[in-house]
Amino acid sequence: MQRRLIERYESRTPESKRLFDAARKVIPGGVEGSMKHYSPYPLTFSRASGALLQDADGHEYVDYLLSFGALMLGHGHPAVVEAARRVFADYGTSAFGLASPVEVQLAEVVHELYPSVEELRFTNSGLEATLLAVRLGIAASGRDVVAKFEGHYHGGHEQVLLSVSPDPRRAGPAARPSPVPASLGLPEYFAEHTVVLPFNDYDACEAILIAERDRVGVVVMEPMEAGYVPADPVFLRRLRDLTARLGMVLVFDEVKTGFRVRLGGAQEYYGVQADLTALGKILGGGLPIGAVGGRREILELASPLRTGGAVFHSGTFNGNPLSVCAGLATLKILRGPGVFDGVLQATERLRERIEELGQAAGFAVRTVGVGAVFDVLFTEGDVTDYRSRSAADKERRLTLDFLLMERGIFSKPLNRFSLSTVHTGEILARTEEAFAQSFTELREMEAAR
Ligand SMILES: Cc1ncc(COP(=O)(O)O)c(C=O)c1O
């Protein structure tokens, strides 16, 4: 990106830089996770309210990161604050360690919204949810190789930390991708026990899965790649049938798409049911949570009541009342008449405006997504999988993101845009104005080169 824009960023955000430098002394890279970094240093935020964020230097932003999509009611929604307060008022604690009366209620709500979820277990994160889903799938199928899709992210555990964002030149043929480790420190075992599939290419998936039918027990996927690239409905249905025929457990990782694409996730949108579903993010109403649910006979493998051994799963904070009650409060609001549809309509309208404004400034730009999430891609080609996604112009998008930040719009550079119930009226108008100005400046910068 242009040096001038970086300098403008640095001169606007000295306090974020100071806090980043201090953090780097005690925290690797100054961040609590690989995905929380961007160059030259990420903003530090000190306050948030509704749809707005404030950084450590006092600048205000409309938040489209929304804690990586977790905050469907925006920041500090009164119903969530009240739910958290009531947990202490009613129970006198944030955690019993064992059961509380409320986790069953949230399990029942999830079951109503996701009929494929006959039983479920809560975890503390999406990562833990997909980890348990894979373990259950291996136990249920009796086969220990996992098939995952190129470019799909399921949290940072070994079995799925392959081919998350590989360099396409190092990732083998498009129809037969090879597993590329996404981290140092991954034992060879995992590349040897992972098969990588190409999204939206049914014939290639069928050929790979039939060839590997004696080894692969679990197929895990984001039903919308990266949370926003739709599966072709026929592809998804045929994959569902194929995995059933081959005795493979199909896992939909709906940590991103759950309660965001539709209230009932991508599976509601497509009318296709997985054997197991991983959930997280919005389910906890802004507090840490995850869940794995699905077919009863698979979930029952984790029951300690089972004779002859069980799938191990436990966690100090699993089902803690703070996360569960924040989740219940959030879902109650989202299920209110017109509420979720309102977010869908706002997203639709914003996407149209962004495309109009970008095209008016002369860019081949498109928004891709379903429901209350989308990405902005500078590309002329169709976006259907990891490789077509990778062909979009990232440099231009990065520049746009820094121009938007200067005008008070934040999604984290190169990240998706998520909306919430509080992204309405003035917030959207402000966003459109910022996009209009940013596209214009982007055009001028490119013309001046
Ligand atoms: C599809 C998907 N699965 C799993 C995860 C991991 O969830 P968590 O960050 O809560 O561990 C994420 C996180 O972004 C995700 O997007």
Side-chain angles (χ1 to χ4, degrees), residues 35-36 67-70 123-130 152-157 160 221-227 252-257 278-281 288-290 416:
M35 293 190 178
K36 295 178 191 280
S67 196
F68 293 88
T123 65
N124 298 296
S125 65
L127 179 160
E128 292 170 49
T130 66
H152 291 210
Y153 176 63
H154 304 293
H157 59 93
V160 290
M221 71 187 303
E222 293 187 76
M224 306 251 169
E225 178 173 296
F252 281 175
D253 177 353
E254 298 233 43
V255 170
K256 267 199 217 81
T257 51
L279 295 166
K281 296 197 192 271
I289 208 164
R416 292 163 302 276

mmCIF file of all heavy atoms in Angstrom, residues 35-36 67-70 123-130 152-157 160 221-227 252-257 278-281 288-290 416, ligand 1:
data_model
loop_
_atom_site.group_PDB
_atom_site.id
_atom_site.type_symbol
_atom_site.label_atom_id
_atom_site.label_comp_id
_atom_site.label_asym_id
_atom_site.label_seq_id
_atom_site.Cartn_x
_atom_site.Cartn_y
_atom_site.Cartn_z
ATOM 1 N N MET A 35 -5.111 -13.581 13.648
ATOM 2 C CA MET A 35 -6.041 -12.814 12.812
ATOM 3 C C MET A 35 -6.334 -11.428 13.359
ATOM 4 O O MET A 35 -7.100 -10.679 12.760
ATOM 5 C CB MET A 35 -7.350 -13.574 12.675
ATOM 6 C CG MET A 35 -7.160 -14.843 11.883
ATOM 7 S SD MET A 35 -8.728 -15.560 11.504
ATOM 8 C CE MET A 35 -8.202 -16.966 10.533
ATOM 9 N N LYS A 36 -5.764 -11.116 14.517
ATOM 10 C CA LYS A 36 -6.039 -9.806 15.103
ATOM 11 C C LYS A 36 -4.988 -8.774 14.689
ATOM 12 O O LYS A 36 -5.044 -7.627 15.095
ATOM 13 C CB LYS A 36 -6.122 -9.921 16.624
ATOM 14 C CG LYS A 36 -7.312 -10.788 17.065
ATOM 15 C CD LYS A 36 -7.368 -10.937 18.570
ATOM 16 C CE LYS A 36 -8.361 -11.989 19.005
ATOM 17 N NZ LYS A 36 -9.747 -11.520 18.998
ATOM 18 N N SER A 67 -16.722 -7.606 16.357
ATOM 19 C CA SER A 67 -16.060 -8.726 17.035
ATOM 20 C C SER A 67 -16.144 -9.994 16.178
ATOM 21 O O SER A 67 -16.612 -11.032 16.614
ATOM 22 C CB SER A 67 -16.638 -8.950 18.436
ATOM 23 O OG SER A 67 -15.745 -9.767 19.156
ATOM 24 N N PHE A 68 -15.671 -9.840 14.963
ATOM 25 C CA PHE A 68 -15.649 -10.944 13.989
ATOM 26 C C PHE A 68 -17.052 -11.548 13.792
ATOM 27 O O PHE A 68 -17.207 -12.761 13.691
ATOM 28 C CB PHE A 68 -14.609 -12.003 14.379
ATOM 29 C CG PHE A 68 -13.199 -11.497 14.291
ATOM 30 C CD1 PHE A 68 -12.606 -10.864 15.369
ATOM 31 C CD2 PHE A 68 -12.484 -11.610 13.110
ATOM 32 C CE1 PHE A 68 -11.313 -10.362 15.280
ATOM 33 C CE2 PHE A 68 -11.179 -11.100 13.010
ATOM 34 C CZ PHE A 68 -10.597 -10.486 14.101
ATOM 35 N N GLY A 69 -18.032 -10.660 13.771
ATOM 36 C CA GLY A 69 -19.392 -11.089 13.447
ATOM 37 C C GLY A 69 -20.217 -11.541 14.638
ATOM 38 O O GLY A 69 -21.376 -11.925 14.482
ATOM 39 N N ALA A 70 -19.641 -11.468 15.850
ATOM 40 C CA ALA A 70 -20.339 -12.052 17.010
ATOM 41 C C ALA A 70 -21.466 -11.173 17.550
ATOM 42 O O ALA A 70 -22.349 -11.666 18.261
ATOM 43 C CB ALA A 70 -19.325 -12.331 18.125
ATOM 44 N N THR A 123 -19.646 -25.391 24.173
ATOM 45 C CA THR A 123 -18.206 -25.233 24.366
ATOM 46 C C THR A 123 -17.957 -23.747 24.635
ATOM 47 O O THR A 123 -18.908 -22.985 24.779
ATOM 48 C CB THR A 123 -17.441 -25.659 23.095
ATOM 49 O OG1 THR A 123 -17.781 -24.755 22.024
ATOM 50 C CG2 THR A 123 -17.788 -27.078 22.663
ATOM 51 N N ASN A 124 -16.691 -23.378 24.694
ATOM 52 C CA ASN A 124 -16.373 -21.968 24.959
ATOM 53 C C ASN A 124 -16.000 -21.179 23.718
ATOM 54 O O ASN A 124 -15.769 -19.975 23.797
ATOM 55 C CB ASN A 124 -15.214 -21.863 25.951
ATOM 56 C CG ASN A 124 -15.586 -22.480 27.266
ATOM 57 O OD1 ASN A 124 -16.486 -22.008 27.937
ATOM 58 N ND2 ASN A 124 -14.920 -23.554 27.631
ATOM 59 N N SER A 125 -15.875 -21.845 22.598
ATOM 60 C CA SER A 125 -15.460 -21.143 21.377
ATOM 61 C C SER A 125 -15.856 -21.983 20.174
ATOM 62 O O SER A 125 -16.166 -23.174 20.290
ATOM 63 C CB SER A 125 -13.939 -20.943 21.372
ATOM 64 O OG SER A 125 -13.300 -22.205 21.300
ATOM 65 N N GLY A 126 -15.787 -21.332 19.009
ATOM 66 C CA GLY A 126 -16.036 -22.049 17.758
ATOM 67 C C GLY A 126 -14.965 -23.105 17.512
ATOM 68 O O GLY A 126 -15.261 -24.184 16.993
ATOM 69 N N LEU A 127 -13.742 -22.768 17.860
ATOM 70 C CA LEU A 127 -12.645 -23.733 17.697
ATOM 71 C C LEU A 127 -12.967 -25.035 18.434
ATOM 72 O O LEU A 127 -12.869 -26.133 17.875
ATOM 73 C CB LEU A 127 -11.345 -23.122 18.234
ATOM 74 C CG LEU A 127 -10.055 -23.936 18.206
ATOM 75 C CD1 LEU A 127 -8.849 -23.012 18.300
ATOM 76 C CD2 LEU A 127 -9.966 -24.986 19.303
ATOM 77 N N GLU A 128 -13.350 -24.897 19.686
ATOM 78 C CA GLU A 128 -13.646 -26.105 20.470
ATOM 79 C C GLU A 128 -14.832 -26.867 19.876
ATOM 80 O O GLU A 128 -14.920 -28.087 19.989
ATOM 81 C CB GLU A 128 -13.963 -25.730 21.918
ATOM 82 C CG GLU A 128 -12.785 -25.201 22.692
ATOM 83 C CD GLU A 128 -13.231 -24.630 24.031
ATOM 84 O OE1 GLU A 128 -13.979 -25.300 24.766
ATOM 85 O OE2 GLU A 128 -12.839 -23.496 24.336
ATOM 86 N N ALA A 129 -15.741 -26.117 19.265
ATOM 87 C CA ALA A 129 -16.914 -26.778 18.679
ATOM 88 C C ALA A 129 -16.505 -27.647 17.493
ATOM 89 O O ALA A 129 -16.925 -28.802 17.375
ATOM 90 C CB ALA A 129 -17.948 -25.732 18.250
ATOM 91 N N THR A 130 -15.663 -27.112 16.605
ATOM 92 C CA THR A 130 -15.285 -27.931 15.443
ATOM 93 C C THR A 130 -14.355 -29.061 15.868
ATOM 94 O O THR A 130 -14.366 -30.132 15.274
ATOM 95 C CB THR A 130 -14.625 -27.081 14.332
ATOM 96 O OG1 THR A 130 -13.386 -26.564 14.790
ATOM 97 C CG2 THR A 130 -15.531 -25.960 13.877
ATOM 98 N N HIS A 152 -11.209 -22.883 3.796
ATOM 99 C CA HIS A 152 -12.203 -22.843 4.875
ATOM 100 C C HIS A 152 -11.484 -22.845 6.220
ATOM 101 O O HIS A 152 -10.528 -23.578 6.418
ATOM 102 C CB HIS A 152 -13.155 -24.046 4.790
ATOM 103 C CG HIS A 152 -14.061 -23.967 3.601
ATOM 104 N ND1 HIS A 152 -15.332 -24.516 3.593
ATOM 105 C CD2 HIS A 152 -13.905 -23.391 2.400
ATOM 106 C CE1 HIS A 152 -15.900 -24.288 2.415
ATOM 107 N NE2 HIS A 152 -15.043 -23.617 1.671
ATOM 108 N N TYR A 153 -11.999 -22.023 7.120
ATOM 109 C CA TYR A 153 -11.388 -21.857 8.442
ATOM 110 C C TYR A 153 -12.331 -22.434 9.493
ATOM 111 O O TYR A 153 -13.529 -22.154 9.492
ATOM 112 C CB TYR A 153 -11.151 -20.365 8.718
ATOM 113 C CG TYR A 153 -10.603 -20.075 10.089
ATOM 114 C CD1 TYR A 153 -9.361 -20.555 10.482
ATOM 115 C CD2 TYR A 153 -11.330 -19.320 11.006
ATOM 116 C CE1 TYR A 153 -8.848 -20.286 11.750
ATOM 117 C CE2 TYR A 153 -10.833 -19.032 12.270
ATOM 118 C CZ TYR A 153 -9.589 -19.519 12.635
ATOM 119 O OH TYR A 153 -9.096 -19.251 13.883
ATOM 120 N N HIS A 154 -11.749 -23.223 10.392
ATOM 121 C CA HIS A 154 -12.586 -23.839 11.437
ATOM 122 C C HIS A 154 -12.000 -23.616 12.827
ATOM 123 O O HIS A 154 -12.250 -24.407 13.733
ATOM 124 C CB HIS A 154 -12.733 -25.334 11.164
ATOM 125 C CG HIS A 154 -13.285 -25.647 9.803
ATOM 126 N ND1 HIS A 154 -14.570 -25.328 9.434
ATOM 127 C CD2 HIS A 154 -12.713 -26.208 8.713
ATOM 128 C CE1 HIS A 154 -14.786 -25.698 8.168
ATOM 129 N NE2 HIS A 154 -13.670 -26.231 7.706
ATOM 130 N N GLY A 155 -11.193 -22.561 12.988
ATOM 131 C CA GLY A 155 -10.495 -22.383 14.254
ATOM 132 C C GLY A 155 -9.125 -23.051 14.150
ATOM 133 O O GLY A 155 -8.844 -23.776 13.201
ATOM 134 N N GLY A 156 -8.279 -22.761 15.154
ATOM 135 C CA GLY A 156 -6.868 -23.137 15.015
ATOM 136 C C GLY A 156 -6.461 -24.452 15.640
ATOM 137 O O GLY A 156 -5.435 -24.506 16.314
ATOM 138 N N HIS A 157 -7.217 -25.525 15.434
ATOM 139 C CA HIS A 157 -6.720 -26.810 15.968
ATOM 140 C C HIS A 157 -6.149 -27.654 14.835
ATOM 141 O O HIS A 157 -6.509 -27.485 13.663
ATOM 142 C CB HIS A 157 -7.774 -27.560 16.784
ATOM 143 C CG HIS A 157 -9.040 -27.914 16.065
ATOM 144 N ND1 HIS A 157 -9.213 -29.124 15.438
ATOM 145 C CD2 HIS A 157 -10.186 -27.229 15.878
ATOM 146 C CE1 HIS A 157 -10.420 -29.157 14.903
ATOM 147 N NE2 HIS A 157 -11.030 -28.015 15.151
ATOM 148 N N VAL A 160 -7.647 -29.211 11.416
ATOM 149 C CA VAL A 160 -8.233 -28.359 10.360
ATOM 150 C C VAL A 160 -7.342 -27.167 9.988
ATOM 151 O O VAL A 160 -7.748 -26.306 9.216
ATOM 152 C CB VAL A 160 -9.641 -27.853 10.769
ATOM 153 C CG1 VAL A 160 -10.633 -28.994 10.764
ATOM 154 C CG2 VAL A 160 -9.607 -27.168 12.127
ATOM 155 N N MET A 221 -17.083 -28.547 6.568
ATOM 156 C CA MET A 221 -17.113 -27.426 5.618
ATOM 157 C C MET A 221 -17.838 -26.213 6.186
ATOM 158 O O MET A 221 -18.695 -26.336 7.070
ATOM 159 C CB MET A 221 -17.838 -27.849 4.336
ATOM 160 C CG MET A 221 -19.331 -28.023 4.524
ATOM 161 S SD MET A 221 -20.155 -28.716 3.063
ATOM 162 C CE MET A 221 -19.693 -27.544 1.801
ATOM 163 N N GLU A 222 -17.471 -25.042 5.662
ATOM 164 C CA GLU A 222 -18.302 -23.860 5.859
ATOM 165 C C GLU A 222 -19.309 -23.878 4.709
ATOM 166 O O GLU A 222 -18.920 -23.803 3.545
ATOM 167 C CB GLU A 222 -17.466 -22.582 5.757
ATOM 168 C CG GLU A 222 -16.464 -22.389 6.869
ATOM 169 C CD GLU A 222 -15.813 -21.013 6.782
ATOM 170 O OE1 GLU A 222 -16.475 -20.025 7.146
ATOM 171 O OE2 GLU A 222 -14.666 -20.915 6.349
ATOM 172 N N PRO A 223 -20.611 -23.954 4.979
ATOM 173 C CA PRO A 223 -21.574 -24.009 3.871
ATOM 174 C C PRO A 223 -21.568 -22.727 3.031
ATOM 175 O O PRO A 223 -22.062 -22.739 1.900
ATOM 176 C CB PRO A 223 -22.918 -24.240 4.556
ATOM 177 C CG PRO A 223 -22.700 -24.003 5.998
ATOM 178 C CD PRO A 223 -21.241 -24.084 6.289
ATOM 179 N N MET A 224 -21.051 -21.655 3.576
ATOM 180 C CA MET A 224 -20.713 -20.459 2.788
ATOM 181 C C MET A 224 -19.228 -20.258 3.045
ATOM 182 O O MET A 224 -18.830 -19.966 4.189
ATOM 183 C CB MET A 224 -21.461 -19.224 3.283
ATOM 184 C CG MET A 224 -22.942 -19.402 3.364
ATOM 185 S SD MET A 224 -23.767 -18.469 2.090
ATOM 186 C CE MET A 224 -25.421 -19.151 2.244
ATOM 187 N N GLU A 225 -18.446 -20.419 2.009
ATOM 188 C CA GLU A 225 -16.998 -20.321 2.212
ATOM 189 C C GLU A 225 -16.628 -18.967 2.812
ATOM 190 O O GLU A 225 -17.117 -17.925 2.350
ATOM 191 C CB GLU A 225 -16.292 -20.508 0.862
ATOM 192 C CG GLU A 225 -14.787 -20.381 0.973
ATOM 193 C CD GLU A 225 -14.089 -20.721 -0.325
ATOM 194 O OE1 GLU A 225 -14.172 -21.873 -0.763
ATOM 195 O OE2 GLU A 225 -13.454 -19.816 -0.888
ATOM 196 N N ALA A 226 -15.745 -19.032 3.828
ATOM 197 C CA ALA A 226 -15.303 -17.825 4.542
ATOM 198 C C ALA A 226 -16.486 -17.026 5.105
ATOM 199 O O ALA A 226 -16.368 -15.845 5.404
ATOM 200 C CB ALA A 226 -14.451 -16.928 3.635
ATOM 201 N N GLY A 227 -17.622 -17.705 5.225
ATOM 202 C CA GLY A 227 -18.804 -17.069 5.801
ATOM 203 C C GLY A 227 -19.653 -16.318 4.790
ATOM 204 O O GLY A 227 -20.742 -15.867 5.115
ATOM 205 N N PHE A 252 -21.384 -29.193 9.172
ATOM 206 C CA PHE A 252 -21.481 -27.800 8.740
ATOM 207 C C PHE A 252 -20.898 -26.936 9.853
ATOM 208 O O PHE A 252 -21.411 -26.948 10.980
ATOM 209 C CB PHE A 252 -22.938 -27.368 8.529
ATOM 210 C CG PHE A 252 -23.550 -27.825 7.221
ATOM 211 C CD1 PHE A 252 -24.896 -27.586 6.972
ATOM 212 C CD2 PHE A 252 -22.788 -28.459 6.246
ATOM 213 C CE1 PHE A 252 -25.476 -27.986 5.777
ATOM 214 C CE2 PHE A 252 -23.362 -28.867 5.037
ATOM 215 C CZ PHE A 252 -24.712 -28.636 4.800
ATOM 216 N N ASP A 253 -19.850 -26.219 9.530
ATOM 217 C CA ASP A 253 -19.327 -25.251 10.484
ATOM 218 C C ASP A 253 -20.088 -23.949 10.238
ATOM 219 O O ASP A 253 -19.815 -23.218 9.289
ATOM 220 C CB ASP A 253 -17.826 -25.073 10.261
ATOM 221 C CG ASP A 253 -17.242 -24.011 11.182
ATOM 222 O OD1 ASP A 253 -18.013 -23.340 11.885
ATOM 223 O OD2 ASP A 253 -16.000 -23.869 11.185
ATOM 224 N N GLU A 254 -21.047 -23.693 11.118
ATOM 225 C CA GLU A 254 -21.890 -22.485 10.987
ATOM 226 C C GLU A 254 -21.526 -21.456 12.062
ATOM 227 O O GLU A 254 -22.373 -20.682 12.500
ATOM 228 C CB GLU A 254 -23.376 -22.861 11.068
ATOM 229 C CG GLU A 254 -23.831 -23.788 9.942
ATOM 230 C CD GLU A 254 -25.047 -23.250 9.200
ATOM 231 O OE1 GLU A 254 -25.083 -22.032 8.909
ATOM 232 O OE2 GLU A 254 -25.952 -24.070 8.920
ATOM 233 N N VAL A 255 -20.258 -21.491 12.468
ATOM 234 C CA VAL A 255 -19.832 -20.520 13.476
ATOM 235 C C VAL A 255 -20.021 -19.090 12.937
ATOM 236 O O VAL A 255 -20.473 -18.209 13.664
ATOM 237 C CB VAL A 255 -18.364 -20.787 13.892
ATOM 238 C CG1 VAL A 255 -17.819 -19.654 14.756
ATOM 239 C CG2 VAL A 255 -18.269 -22.119 14.643
ATOM 240 N N LYS A 256 -19.700 -18.885 11.658
ATOM 241 C CA LYS A 256 -19.912 -17.551 11.074
ATOM 242 C C LYS A 256 -21.333 -17.379 10.548
ATOM 243 O O LYS A 256 -21.944 -16.343 10.725
ATOM 244 C CB LYS A 256 -18.961 -17.353 9.892
ATOM 245 C CG LYS A 256 -17.658 -16.692 10.249
ATOM 246 C CD LYS A 256 -17.006 -16.124 8.996
ATOM 247 C CE LYS A 256 -15.491 -16.290 9.040
ATOM 248 N NZ LYS A 256 -15.034 -17.622 8.647
ATOM 249 N N THR A 257 -21.846 -18.397 9.859
ATOM 250 C CA THR A 257 -23.132 -18.235 9.165
ATOM 251 C C THR A 257 -24.338 -18.375 10.100
ATOM 252 O O THR A 257 -25.418 -17.886 9.776
ATOM 253 C CB THR A 257 -23.253 -19.278 8.035
ATOM 254 O OG1 THR A 257 -22.952 -20.581 8.581
ATOM 255 C CG2 THR A 257 -22.295 -18.981 6.908
ATOM 256 N N ALA A 278 -21.563 -26.997 13.873
ATOM 257 C CA ALA A 278 -20.817 -26.226 14.871
ATOM 258 C C ALA A 278 -21.344 -24.801 14.857
ATOM 259 O O ALA A 278 -21.545 -24.209 13.789
ATOM 260 C CB ALA A 278 -19.329 -26.229 14.538
ATOM 261 N N LEU A 279 -21.599 -24.261 16.045
ATOM 262 C CA LEU A 279 -22.084 -22.888 16.192
ATOM 263 C C LEU A 279 -21.173 -22.121 17.140
ATOM 264 O O LEU A 279 -20.357 -22.714 17.854
ATOM 265 C CB LEU A 279 -23.518 -22.891 16.738
ATOM 266 C CG LEU A 279 -24.585 -23.500 15.824
ATOM 267 C CD1 LEU A 279 -25.875 -23.756 16.603
ATOM 268 C CD2 LEU A 279 -24.869 -22.581 14.627
ATOM 269 N N GLY A 280 -21.325 -20.814 17.170
ATOM 270 C CA GLY A 280 -20.529 -19.988 18.089
ATOM 271 C C GLY A 280 -20.958 -18.544 17.933
ATOM 272 O O GLY A 280 -22.118 -18.250 17.666
ATOM 273 N N LYS A 281 -20.025 -17.645 18.093
ATOM 274 C CA LYS A 281 -20.205 -16.205 17.873
ATOM 275 C C LYS A 281 -21.540 -15.664 18.404
ATOM 276 O O LYS A 281 -21.693 -15.490 19.602
ATOM 277 C CB LYS A 281 -20.014 -15.878 16.392
ATOM 278 C CG LYS A 281 -18.569 -16.179 15.919
ATOM 279 C CD LYS A 281 -18.256 -15.495 14.627
ATOM 280 C CE LYS A 281 -16.959 -16.004 13.988
ATOM 281 N NZ LYS A 281 -15.756 -15.309 14.391
ATOM 282 N N PRO A 288 -18.139 -15.430 25.352
ATOM 283 C CA PRO A 288 -17.550 -16.606 24.691
ATOM 284 C C PRO A 288 -18.477 -17.814 24.711
ATOM 285 O O PRO A 288 -19.046 -18.144 25.761
ATOM 286 C CB PRO A 288 -16.300 -16.909 25.537
ATOM 287 C CG PRO A 288 -16.041 -15.678 26.320
ATOM 288 C CD PRO A 288 -17.364 -14.989 26.505
ATOM 289 N N ILE A 289 -18.620 -18.440 23.551
ATOM 290 C CA ILE A 289 -19.436 -19.650 23.479
ATOM 291 C C ILE A 289 -19.134 -20.407 22.188
ATOM 292 O O ILE A 289 -18.573 -19.863 21.236
ATOM 293 C CB ILE A 289 -20.952 -19.323 23.544
ATOM 294 C CG1 ILE A 289 -21.744 -20.503 24.145
ATOM 295 C CG2 ILE A 289 -21.514 -18.994 22.162
ATOM 296 C CD1 ILE A 289 -23.142 -20.164 24.606
ATOM 297 N N GLY A 290 -19.530 -21.650 22.172
ATOM 298 C CA GLY A 290 -19.566 -22.469 20.967
ATOM 299 C C GLY A 290 -20.544 -23.594 21.252
ATOM 300 O O GLY A 290 -21.006 -23.760 22.395
ATOM 301 N N ARG A 416 -14.380 -9.133 6.107
ATOM 302 C CA ARG A 416 -15.784 -9.029 5.699
ATOM 303 C C ARG A 416 -16.480 -7.874 6.418
ATOM 304 O O ARG A 416 -15.975 -7.379 7.421
ATOM 305 C CB ARG A 416 -16.544 -10.311 6.103
ATOM 306 C CG ARG A 416 -16.168 -11.555 5.390
ATOM 307 C CD ARG A 416 -16.666 -12.761 6.172
ATOM 308 N NE ARG A 416 -16.114 -12.754 7.516
ATOM 309 C CZ ARG A 416 -14.919 -13.230 7.814
ATOM 310 N NH1 ARG A 416 -14.173 -13.794 6.911
ATOM 311 N NH2 ARG A 416 -14.452 -13.174 9.044
HETATM 312 C C1 LIG B 1 -16.242 -20.763 10.386
HETATM 313 C C2 LIG B 1 -15.501 -20.626 11.677
HETATM 314 N N1 LIG B 1 -15.281 -21.723 12.415
HETATM 315 C C3 LIG B 1 -14.644 -21.655 13.596
HETATM 316 C C4 LIG B 1 -14.163 -20.456 14.079
HETATM 317 C C5 LIG B 1 -13.462 -20.398 15.374
HETATM 318 O O1 LIG B 1 -14.258 -19.767 16.326
HETATM 319 P P1 LIG B 1 -13.599 -19.088 17.617
HETATM 320 O O2 LIG B 1 -12.814 -17.919 17.112
HETATM 321 O O3 LIG B 1 -14.759 -18.733 18.484
HETATM 322 O O4 LIG B 1 -12.729 -20.135 18.232
HETATM 323 C C6 LIG B 1 -14.373 -19.293 13.342
HETATM 324 C C7 LIG B 1 -13.884 -18.001 13.824
HETATM 325 O O5 LIG B 1 -13.875 -16.997 13.148
HETATM 326 C C8 LIG B 1 -15.048 -19.382 12.111
HETATM 327 O O6 LIG B 1 -15.264 -18.287 11.375
#
